[in-house]
Amino acid sequence: IIIPVFNEAGSLERLLDRLYDLPLAERAEVFVVDGGSTDHTRDVFLECARAHPRLYFLEAPRGKGLAIRLALQRAKGRYIAYMDGDLQYLPEDLPKIASALEHGADLVVSRRRLVWADDSTRRIFSRIFSGVVSGRMLHLNASDPQSGMKALRASLLHKLHLSERHWGLDVQLIEQAQQAGASIKEVDISFLPRDSGRTKTGFVSTSFDLLKTAFRAAGARAGKIPPARQKSGKSAIRAASRSRRRV
C-alpha cells in the first residue's frame, strides 16, 4: 500500500491507525512516500512506525507521479494499491478495491460518488477538464481517472512504461493499461472534506500536466513519440531510491 504525502502531519497518524485496523494490513507492506514535507510529517511517521510493522518511509523528489513510481519499484506484493494521505479517501474502502482484483481485474480505479469535499468553481472546472482529457482525447474506460485511490496487479507493471512525474500519472496508468488490454474495473468510494492541511492541486498546474500527458499518449499511439524516449525522471528515482528507511 503506497501513501504519497506532502505536509500531511495532521492526518497521517489517523490514516495509518485506521489502515492497520483492517485485516488486509496484517500481511501488507505500507510505504509512506514523502515529497519533501516541511511540517512534522516525518516525526509523525516515526511515532507510527513504533506501533505498526512493515511500515517504510521513502523520500522522493517533489511530484506525486515520481513518488508513486518510486514505491512501485520497491513493492513486492502481488497486488499494489495507492491512496492519498489526506484522509479524504478512506482506508476502509481498500477491501472492496482489493476484492475487485481478486475477482479478476488487472487495474481498479475508484470512483468518487459521495463528493462532499469541495463544490467550488475551481473544483467543478477541474473535474470537467479532466473528463474532457480522459474521455474525449484518450477515450479512457474510467469516469473518474484523477481519483486518488487505485490498485493493480504487480504483473501489469511489466506491460507499462510509466514516466509521468506529477498529476498526469493517473491518466497515463489507465491509458497504458487499456492499451495493454488489461481488465479495468471501477469501484465506488466515499470522498470526504479535508479536516487538516491544504490541498496540493491547482487548476492551472493540474490541467497543464494532464494536457501534456494526453498529447504524449496520443503521439505514442501515432508512433511519433516512441515510449522509450519519453522523459521519465529515472535519474531522480535512482537518487531517491537510496533513501528507503525502516524504523
Side-chain angles (χ1 to χ4, degrees):
I1 301 170
I2 300 168
I3 306 172
V5 296
F6 178 69
N7 290 342
E8 298 293 358
S11 61
L12 182 58
E13 181 177 8
R14 289 176 293 146
L15 188 157
L16 290 174
D17 285 346
R18 287 166 60 175
L19 175 61
Y20 276 93
D21 279 341
L22 301 174
L24 63 78
E26 295 176 358
R27 58 187 184 277
E29 290 183 313
V30 179
F31 294 91
V32 175
V33 193
D34 186 12
S37 294
T38 56
D39 65 355
H40 300 293
T41 295
R42 182 194 294 265
D43 296 330
V44 172
F45 170 85
L46 292 173
E47 287 296 321
C48 293
R50 295 188 176 97
H52 303 304
R54 299 175 306 283
L55 180 57
Y56 301 94
F57 186 87
L58 299 177
E59 293 176 322
R62 185 78 178 268
K64 181 180 176 180
L66 276 174
I68 292 172
R69 287 167 51 206
L70 172 63
L72 287 173
Q73 290 184 354
R74 297 287 190 172
K76 299 177 181 178
R78 186 160 54 111
Y79 302 143
I80 304 171
Y82 66 83
M83 62 178 295
D84 290 351
D86 53 16
L87 267 183
Q88 291 188 268
Y89 298 87
L90 306 183
E92 290 82 5
D93 280 327
L94 283 172
K96 58 183 176 182
I97 297 284
S99 176
L101 291 175
E102 292 170 350
H103 284 83
D106 297 309
L107 172 65
V108 183
V109 181
S110 64
R111 181 169 50 196
R112 294 169 289 185
R113 284 308 193 195
L114 302 178
V115 183
W116 303 319
D118 186 357
D119 60 353
S120 67
T121 301
R122 179 189 63 81
R123 175 70 68 178
I124 293 171
F125 276 108
S126 179
R127 293 291 293 274
I128 292 173
F129 184 85
S130 175
V132 169
V133 170
S134 61
R136 297 293 181 87
M137 295 180 67
L138 296 178
H139 307 289
L140 300 185
N141 294 329
S143 59
D144 192 7
Q146 290 300 108
S147 182
M149 179 182 284
K150 294 181 177 67
L152 65 151
R153 294 178 181 272
S155 57
L156 179 61
L157 289 172
H158 302 297
K159 302 178 182 179
L160 310 179
H161 46 270
L162 300 176
S163 61
E164 293 298 327
R165 302 169 63 96
H166 299 287
W167 307 110
L169 182 78
D170 290 294
V171 167
Q172 187 181 55
L173 171 62
I174 299 170
E175 192 273 336
Q176 291 188 6
Q178 189 168 304
Q179 290 297 307
S183 170
I184 301 174
K185 181 175 177 58
E186 290 188 289
V187 172
D188 291 344
I189 64 165
S190 300
F191 185 62
L192 303 180
R194 262 188 178 271
D195 61 9
S196 65
R198 299 175 59 183
T199 183
K200 312 304 185 299
T201 60
F203 174 69
V204 174
S205 60
T206 303
S207 299
F208 182 66
D209 207 51
L210 290 176
L211 273 177
K212 288 194 300 181
T213 302
F215 282 122
R216 285 179 186 142
R221 288 181 183 181
K224 297 178 181 179
I225 305 176
R229 296 183 182 179
Q230 292 181 8
K231 185 176 180 181
S232 65
K234 288 183 180 179
S235 59
I237 285 187
R238 283 196 296 269
S241 66
R242 294 191 287 269
S243 65
R244 171 175 175 168
R245 299 185 181 188
R246 180 177 181 177
V247 179

